[in-house]
Amino acid sequence: MSTFSEEKRTNKSTDVRRFFYSRGDRNEIKNLTLQYWKGEADEVIERARLASENTFVFTHRWDMERCETPVTFPNEIDWTFQFQDDFEWTVNLNRARFMAELGQAYWLTGEESFASHYIRLMKDWIRQNPLSEEEILESRSRHYNVKDTWRKLDSGIRICNWIKGYFCVRESEIWGEAEEELFKEALALHGHYLSIAYTPHDQQSNWGFLETNGLFQIALLFPHIEGSAQWMELALERMGVMCQLQVFEDGMHNEQSPMYHHEVLHCLFETVLLARKNQWSIPDIMEDTLNRMFTASLSFVKPSGYQPMTSDSDHTDIRDVLSRGALLNERSDLKHQGYDVLDFEGIWYYGKNGFDVYEELEATEPDFCSTHLEQSGYSIMRNGWSPDDHYLLFDGGHMDMIRAHGHDDFLHYDLVVHGSDMIIDPGRYTYKENEHRQYFKESFQHNTCSVDDCSISTYLDSWHWEDVAQPLNRYWRGDKEYDYVQSGHDGYMRLEDPVQVMRQILFVKPHYWLLVDSFKSKHVHDFAQHFHFAEHAALTNDSSKRKIQVKGGEGGHLDMTYLQNVSLTQEDCWISRDYNQKLKSTKVVARQKGSGQTTFVTVLNPYRDDEHPDMEIHEVDVYNTRSEKMSKGEVTAFEVKRGEESEVVLFSHDGPKSFQFEETQMTGEVLLIKRSCDGEERFIIKV
């Protein structure tokens, strides 16, 4: 089997530079994509037809800010137009994915009109958007974002899309010397701009990768453009430094947003793959970082194949990303969670040879199941890797490094039951500075806790926070019998009467989760938990029975049973799975008032239509070593009975001690006893 993971890299001085595809690949790419991904090919062709008519719509799964409403320019295109006063529409227009798709549509259909409209739109954009050296230098105070159509981020993306389309339409008879010269002038202008427009903030932001991928592609693929050798040195130096600065050891991008993690991964992937195809030497850290980023994506992918919607992320299928990573590094674990056949864009990247290699690559279950990303603070609990398994993602990490895409979501969790979303992050909806932006970013719209109806951190505007909370007392432990995670934060220590907050989650595999939220204060406060349910979920809640019952999709159910008396109220909420889209759903708020030690204990019990939740829960008395009964402020312990099996769980609220309970004496802070007809097992989860 030929390999994509080992290429000799020599940095040869040669006039022949290889793109992802060339003329000889055209028929094979066309045949494979139309055979295996006709739906996606049809979407590309349709968006290209619309662009040919000066109509633009942003519905690609990786459009960072989707807009499903077509906008038509009946006469001349206004490249600065803002649809519904949203500047993100403007930048999507100027990122020009439609230029790549015009090229793809030309190859897929053979229609010369697609090449003709690529040329027309290229000329129109260049004519309307000149850029001078003086403008670039004068924009330094604006971080080199010269004007709406010349921002660094968009320029890096734009030129990559132009290049993708170029390597298709240049085969057309209507592509002549004049078009070639104009295109090369545009490359030179973009390269010159991107070589200058780079700041320390870009070095720490996803913007830097998106810009530098464009600079690298110009320098590598068009070596005869003046300055390309210097641009190559700059691009590789920047990439190496950004890999060190921006990607944690656990593989997660440090803005801690799955959406932007994948944007950075995409840029690094294109750079690495092009370097391999051209046997071009790059810093080892780039290959290593990319592989770790693929592992992080594998860690947090949901059973459905989608990414979680935390921190400005959309509900996006990432199996294409995992498939390309599987082929790049011949990783059978990535293929296990990817597609059965190489994805649509993957065929354009790798061609027929790559398609065949992917087909031969074995898909094997990852050698880990639940996992903890230490630096980013994400913990993922699973009972397996099949599409109908359970999944819980917990966010116990700090807000992102540059406070850009992070939400006020300390201690948030997502819950998937039998492969179907049950408790979910509401998403992002918009970047416009309005009440919707605040709604989706503040802590109340995440599955977390609040005190006295105060947010955890203080929202200032779309990109700025005050009193940003920091994590406390983080701990993770995974075992074949259980997973356990905890984290607190100092967000409510700023109150006049400071409140300590702690969330603990114990997964008793594979049966149920225990959610324990603890608050310590001197005076009485109003404590609340917030739960946002997926749109398809049907809810009933009954405070008298201390229970919330949820019927989800695909025959999955969830019972949420409280140990304490709580007030349960049901409210409307919004869920935004994609930018510019929101649907009504339901949230439940559980409340208690208290002082000293106040605790919520919830048993989350998943089951199917054809199963019956045979579960009984009752509190257990606990004694110290002097046989003195301990108070609920000191310790919470209870037994969960499931037919002939049961578990006894103890949570100390006053640190590790020695406890007598259920005819047992154990020492620690979090303790678990599992009982069945085969005997008893004891676990000291945390000392």
Side-chain angles (χ1 to χ4, degrees):
M1 183 168 69
S2 57
T3 178
F4 284 86
S5 60
E6 295 180 6
E7 296 273 3
K8 187 177 180 182
R9 300 174 295 180
T10 58
N11 288 8
K12 298 176 183 176
S13 178
T14 174
D15 290 340
V16 180
R17 299 290 170 86
R18 296 179 59 197
F19 190 54
F20 302 119
Y21 41 81
S22 59
R23 182 196 300 265
D25 301 317
R26 179 174 179 174
N27 287 335
E28 290 177 336
I29 288 175
K30 173 184 174 180
N31 293 337
L32 286 171
T33 54
L34 291 178
Q35 179 180 354
Y36 291 97
W37 299 101
K38 188 175 185 306
E40 198 158 345
D42 288 345
E43 289 178 11
V44 166
I45 294 168
E46 176 60 21
R47 285 192 294 265
R49 289 195 193 282
L50 290 172
S52 299
E53 300 165 359
N54 286 0
T55 298
F56 301 96
V57 62
F58 308 116
T59 56
H60 190 281
R61 76 166 75 175
W62 289 113
D63 280 331
M64 278 187 273
E65 294 83 33
R66 288 169 58 99
C67 181
E68 297 184 2
T69 304
V71 174
T72 301
F73 297 95
N75 299 309
E76 184 174 80
I77 297 172
D78 177 1
W79 297 99
T80 65
F81 177 74
Q82 292 188 27
F83 177 64
Q84 295 182 345
D85 297 319
D86 190 353
F87 182 60
E88 299 303 325
W89 195 96
T90 311
V91 300
N92 262 309
L93 179 68
N94 285 275
R95 290 168 185 168
R97 188 186 296 275
F98 54 83
M99 295 291 275
E101 293 185 329
L102 282 164
Q104 290 178 318
Y106 174 60
W107 271 23
L108 292 172
T109 66
E111 295 178 20
E112 290 293 330
S113 63
F114 288 120
S116 173
H117 286 293
Y118 178 99
I119 294 168
R120 176 183 65 83
L121 291 169
M122 176 184 71
K123 289 180 176 179
D124 187 71
W125 195 92
I126 291 171
R127 176 182 62 82
Q128 289 199 53
N129 298 287
L131 181 69
S132 67
E133 177 88 7
E134 183 180 18
E135 284 180 299
I136 297 173
L137 297 178
E138 284 182 349
S139 70
R140 182 176 181 180
S141 63
R142 301 188 299 278
H143 314 291
Y144 295 109
N145 291 306
V146 181
K147 46 192 170 184
D148 288 354
T149 57
W150 278 101
R151 296 197 317 165
K152 301 169 291 182
L153 164 68
D154 312 320
S155 299
I157 298 172
R158 174 173 57 247
I159 203 60
C160 290
N161 283 322
W162 281 28
I163 290 170
K164 286 184 175 73
Y166 162 80
F167 275 96
C168 295
V169 302
R170 70 173 185 169
E171 310 295 342
S172 171
E173 293 181 359
I174 62 175
W175 186 270
E177 291 184 6
E179 287 76 21
E180 184 75 12
E181 183 64 26
L182 189 63
F183 180 74
K184 297 293 177 59
E185 289 175 4
L187 289 170
L189 184 57
H190 279 77
H192 182 63
Y193 171 55
L194 291 169
S195 69
I196 295 172
Y198 186 76
T199 68
H201 187 74
D202 297 322
Q203 193 163 262
Q204 184 61 74
S205 162
N206 69 80
W207 281 46
F209 275 98
L210 294 160
E211 299 158 19
T212 306
N213 181 37
L215 185 64
F216 174 84
Q217 292 196 27
I218 297 168
L220 179 70
L221 297 169
F222 305 94
H224 297 302
I225 293 178
E226 184 179 355
S228 64
Q230 178 191 5
W231 299 344
M232 176 61 78
E233 289 182 12
L234 280 175
L236 292 181
E237 178 186 357
R238 291 173 183 177
M239 282 280 191
V241 172
M242 287 189 294
C243 284
Q244 288 182 312
L245 274 176
Q246 292 193 37
V247 181
F248 292 127
E249 290 179 11
D250 61 27
M252 186 72 189
H253 184 254
N254 69 16
E255 290 180 52
Q256 294 163 240
S257 162
M259 188 82 174
Y260 291 91
H261 170 91
H262 287 120
E263 290 298 331
V264 168
L265 183 153
H266 168 78
C267 292
L268 198 50
F269 164 77
E270 289 198 336
T271 301
V272 168
L273 183 57
L274 273 178
R276 288 191 189 181
K277 282 181 172 289
N278 289 277
Q279 299 180 23
W280 196 270
S281 179
I282 60 176
D284 290 341
I285 192 173
M286 292 172 61
E287 297 256 14
D288 174 67
T289 299
L290 178 59
N291 197 42
R292 285 187 286 113
M293 293 188 79
F294 278 121
T295 300
S297 298
L298 177 63
S299 297
F300 62 67
V301 65
K302 294 160 70 172
S304 61
Y306 284 67
Q307 66 184 7
M309 291 152 54
T310 55
S311 299
D312 280 351
S313 299
D314 289 342
H315 189 239
T316 307
D317 188 342
I318 65 169
R319 286 175 291 178
D320 56 345
V321 173
L322 298 174
S323 298
R324 290 170 220 160
L327 184 53
L328 184 76
N329 292 325
E330 295 185 4
R331 289 186 53 177
S332 59
D333 58 344
L334 293 177
K335 183 176 180 182
H336 188 274
Q337 294 303 113
Y339 289 120
D340 292 336
V341 297
L342 189 60
D343 68 286
F344 176 85
E345 294 291 352
I347 292 170
W348 290 85
Y349 283 123
Y350 290 106
K352 176 67 164 58
N353 181 44
F355 183 89
D356 292 341
V357 172
Y358 188 80
E359 191 172 48
E360 295 175 18
L361 181 64
E362 183 181 5
T364 59
E365 192 170 280
D367 61 6
F368 64 91
C369 195
S370 299
T371 190
H372 176 62
L373 305 181
E374 176 65 30
Q375 288 82 19
S376 54
Y378 283 120
S379 306
I380 300 94
M381 300 177 177
R382 304 176 186 270
N383 66 323
W385 286 100
S386 73
D388 63 348
D389 275 329
H390 303 320
Y391 164 104
L392 185 145
L393 177 139
F394 174 70
D395 185 1
H398 48 75
M399 196 178 287
D400 73 277
M401 288 294 182
I402 58 175
R403 311 284 164 77
H405 293 287
H407 287 204
D408 192 23
D409 60 355
F410 253 122
L411 315 185
H412 166 90
Y413 75 96
D414 274 16
L415 181 64
V416 174
V417 170
H418 292 302
S420 180
D421 289 331
M422 194 69 77
I423 299 175
I424 193 170
D425 189 300
R428 58 171 175 163
Y429 182 59
T430 187
Y431 286 163
K432 292 165 68 174
E433 195 61 68
N434 57 28
E435 70 277 7
H436 295 299
R437 181 63 171 156
Q438 182 171 356
Y439 173 92
F440 281 97
K441 290 202 79 171
E442 281 191 321
S443 57
F444 310 112
Q445 308 312 324
H446 298 87
N447 305 315
T448 186
C449 310
S450 64
V451 178
D452 296 337
D453 293 322
C454 294
S455 60
I456 296 171
S457 304
T458 303
Y459 180 90
L460 296 180
D461 60 39
S462 185
W463 308 105
H464 299 91
W465 296 89
E466 207 171 58
D467 308 315
V468 175
Q470 299 299 323
L472 299 170
N473 301 316
R474 290 170 54 192
Y475 181 83
W476 159 268
R477 186 168 182 179
D479 184 270
K480 67 178 182 177
E481 300 291 338
Y482 64 84
D483 293 322
Y484 173 77
V485 68
Q486 71 172 50
S487 182
H489 62 73
D490 64 2
Y492 295 115
M493 297 301 288
R494 73 181 191 274
L495 300 181
E496 184 176 349
D497 176 41
V499 179
Q500 298 177 40
V501 180
M502 171 74 77
R503 171 162 280 180
Q504 300 165 281
I505 301 177
L506 175 62
F507 183 22
V508 180
K509 296 180 178 178
H511 306 293
Y512 59 89
W513 293 269
L514 300 172
L515 174 68
V516 179
D517 288 336
S518 302
F519 306 87
K520 290 186 178 181
S521 62
K522 288 183 178 179
H523 304 296
V524 174
H525 294 270
D526 183 12
F527 303 111
Q529 299 171 309
H530 304 264
F531 303 108
H532 298 78
F533 294 91
E535 311 92 301
H536 58 256
L539 274 70
T540 59
N541 71 79
D542 189 336
S543 297
S544 65
K545 294 182 179 179
R546 305 176 179 177
K547 181 172 288 190
I548 305 168
Q549 293 181 296
V550 191
K551 182 178 181 180
E554 308 298 327
H557 296 254
L558 177 71
D559 282 356
M560 303 174 64
T561 306
Y562 279 88
L563 202 62
Q564 294 82 13
N565 289 317
V566 296
S567 165
L568 298 173
T569 57
Q570 197 163 305
E571 305 172 5
D572 289 338
C573 69
W574 293 107
I575 302 293
S576 172
R577 291 187 181 266
D578 291 300
Y579 192 89
N580 273 328
Q581 177 264 354
K582 59 183 172 70
L583 296 171
K584 276 197 172 182
S585 193
T586 306
K587 70 177 288 188
V588 171
V589 181
R591 294 185 182 274
Q592 282 191 80
K593 288 185 180 292
S595 61
Q597 174 76 35
T598 305
T599 306
F600 294 74
V601 177
T602 319
V603 181
L604 309 174
N605 182 31
Y607 57 98
R608 295 184 184 275
D609 274 338
D610 56 356
E611 296 174 337
H612 299 284
D614 182 16
M615 179 178 283
E616 298 177 18
I617 308 160
H618 67 270
E619 289 191 81
V620 168
D621 291 335
V622 181
Y623 301 85
N624 62 22
T625 54
R626 296 180 177 86
S627 299
E628 299 165 334
K629 187 175 178 180
M630 302 184 74
S631 71
K632 293 181 181 180
E634 296 175 287
V635 63
T636 297
F638 51 95
E639 182 179 29
V640 179
K641 289 186 176 181
R642 301 175 294 100
E644 296 182 357
E645 298 183 350
S646 69
E647 291 81 32
V648 181
V649 188
L650 182 147
F651 294 89
S652 172
H653 305 306
D654 194 28
K657 292 183 178 181
S658 189
F659 302 98
Q660 297 184 73
F661 61 106
E662 287 291 294
E663 301 179 354
T664 299
Q665 184 164 343
M666 294 179 69
T667 301
E669 188 172 340
V670 181
L671 307 172
L672 170 65
I673 303 172
K674 299 188 74 173
R675 292 170 173 168
S676 69
C677 56
D678 295 326
E680 178 179 290
E681 292 182 278
R682 301 179 186 182
F683 302 92
I684 301 173
I685 295 174
K686 184 176 186 295
V687 176

